[in-house]
Amino acid sequence: MTVHSPRLRNSSGAELNLRSQILFQDPTRTRTKDLVTAVGSWHKTYVHESSHWARYHGSTVGILLSLLRRSRDQLAAYTISHLSQRQAGDLHEGRRGGRPFLSFKRYPQHTGGELRYNELDWLNLYYAYYVLLDPAGLTGFDFTTWETRAAFENSLQDTWRQSAGVEMVERPEDTPVSVMGPLKLVHTSEGQLTTRLLFECAAVIDELFQFEGAFMRMTDPTLRELLLEEMSGEYGLPWRLASALAGRNLGGSVVLALIDFALNPVVPGLTSADPTVDWRELYPPHRFVAAAKAMADWESDLEFQYPSHEVTVHFQHTLAKRSGLRMGRVVSRPSGLSTLREAATIPMHLADRTPAVSLMCASHLLDLREEDVCALSHYGVNFLGDRAVRFVDPDRDMWWLFPVFQVSQGEYRWPAEHVTLDEATDLLIGAAVASAYDDILYGIGPLASDHLPHTPFEDRGEVEALNKALKDSTGLDMGWRQS
């Protein structure tokens, strides 16, 4: 069994890998000799993947996913470091025999002591994360046999307990989190609607927005035609569904606003101290369906004019009233860090390095949401007209609006203005070690590396350094192989 690696990607193969929070984008591969078209192709792809970064880290569902992942990694680190010699031996023996240490199918595999409870909590956190983002990360057996309500209630409660007074508000003592209503997924005639698809649909609309600019209009028309063809497939499902539920063709600007509403659910501990939430208010696909239905007998100003902060905020308020669902707004500041260097140098566990970067960027993005919601809800308009001027030097001014770490042709890249080579290396080691916890507990076979830059695995010295960091963190004699 291999561990699922969550990705947000476009048709060209570029992707934001959520396991490591690294953007993989190779140079544009086009057959055209037209330089304008080649640059335009690169630009729209970068807008697509950058919009994932901004929406994910600037939304309540994205912050919740980051916190769920951090809680899972923290629990994994603790569990692995406290394994007895016999348990560590069982882990190695099981891997050699093709049996993961933790498994939904074999639960309960560990019936004694603290490990028994850690096993259940870790599986709940893993399950809740993938149901929330994309159930494709779970096998059919995992999904149909596990108790969804218990997984979500326990995971939300554990994450709130871990983050109380820091990223989340203080937690009322002895008050359990409860998720109300039937915990159903959203199935359509074309397939399942997921949170991942909402991100992907919005990113393609952001690409289409680029053709309103003078530069993209000079490119080969085939670029836009390819996007429209892509929208006729899986990524266009949310748009088609919204139009069907509204009873008319909705414009891209309205669909983006509906998606933004869906991606900002109410979350116990994150948006309020209320420990109770209805599944319809928590699960983005359900929020999207309810929001689209609310358009059936209402025409918004967004259907007739260019998106603006004021019009979009008014749209959200009206939509909340018409749908009966609240728009989630983060109450506390997700991070007390202000620079990337702090995330790289302040002493913390390796499981916390990558989340520290994500939550710091989230704090900046939430500030931006308050003053200019369209910068996130309609990300593509950032690169049109006068709005694009502020991105002349994004590394200096608004670097957190774009993926911080990138890989091109296997090479690791980072903002040199903000961190040194050693600091960037420490952040990469943190991403590698934290992502290895899933492989150790839930996977078999060699540790995965497809979510990390390829070049370091071609150098024996760098592989040995990564393996030493992993062994220091886990105490296990386990590591990556040189490619």
Side-chain angles (χ1 to χ4, degrees), residues 277-318:
V277 64
D278 192 284
W279 180 247
R280 295 175 306 156
E281 284 206 302
L282 177 65
Y283 192 53
H286 273 301
R287 293 176 59 84
F288 183 77
V289 168
K293 288 180 178 178
M295 301 294 299
D297 56 352
W298 167 51
E299 289 187 346
S300 162
D301 289 345
L302 272 176
E303 299 187 57
F304 311 108
Q305 63 187 75
Y306 202 71
S308 68
H309 176 74
E310 293 73 18
V311 170
T312 304
V313 169
H314 180 264
F315 177 89
Q316 293 171 343
H317 288 163
T318 305

Side-chain angles (χ1 to χ4, degrees), residues 16-22 53-54 56-59 62-67 69-70 129 167 333-337 339-340 343 348 351-366 399-405 427 431:
L16 175 63
N17 192 295
L18 299 178
R19 199 171 178 193
S20 58
Q21 295 293 337
I22 294 175
W53 172 273
Y56 185 90
H57 294 95
S59 65
I63 295 173
L64 173 58
L65 286 165
S66 294
L67 293 174
R69 164 69 191 279
R70 186 182 67 177
Y129 178 95
E167 297 86 9
R333 189 169 181 81
S335 175
L337 303 180
T339 67
L340 193 56
M348 65 181 76
D352 296 332
R353 290 278 181 212
T354 300
V357 174
S358 295
L359 294 170
M360 179 189 62
C361 291
S363 293
H364 288 296
L365 288 163
L366 292 178
W399 55 270
W400 36 264
L401 189 59
F402 304 88
V404 178
F405 303 109
L427 289 168

Side-chain angles (χ1 to χ4, degrees), residues 225-348:
E225 292 170 8
L226 289 173
L227 283 178
L228 293 174
E229 182 178 342
E230 186 174 3
M231 193 58 82
S232 69
E234 180 191 36
Y235 289 0
L237 189 158
W239 195 340
R240 293 190 295 275
L241 178 62
S243 295
L245 293 173
R248 65 184 185 280
N249 290 326
L250 297 177
S253 182
V254 173
V255 176
L256 285 176
L258 294 175
I259 291 175
D260 190 66
F261 183 84
L263 295 178
N264 285 276
V266 172
V267 179
L270 189 64
T271 60
S272 77
D274 187 350
T276 302
V277 64
D278 192 284
W279 180 247
R280 295 175 306 156
E281 284 206 302
L282 177 65
Y283 192 53
H286 273 301
R287 293 176 59 84
F288 183 77
V289 168
K293 288 180 178 178
M295 301 294 299
D297 56 352
W298 167 51
E299 289 187 346
S300 162
D301 289 345
L302 272 176
E303 299 187 57
F304 311 108
Q305 63 187 75
Y306 202 71
S308 68
H309 176 74
E310 293 73 18
V311 170
T312 304
V313 169
H314 180 264
F315 177 89
Q316 293 171 343
H317 288 163
T318 305
L319 193 58
K321 292 179 182 178
R322 294 181 64 85
S323 67
L325 303 179
R326 294 167 292 173
M327 178 85 172
R329 180 177 179 273
V330 176
V331 178
S332 59
R333 189 169 181 81
S335 175
L337 303 180
S338 57
T339 67
L340 193 56
R341 175 159 288 118
E342 288 177 317
T345 57
I346 291 178
M348 65 181 76

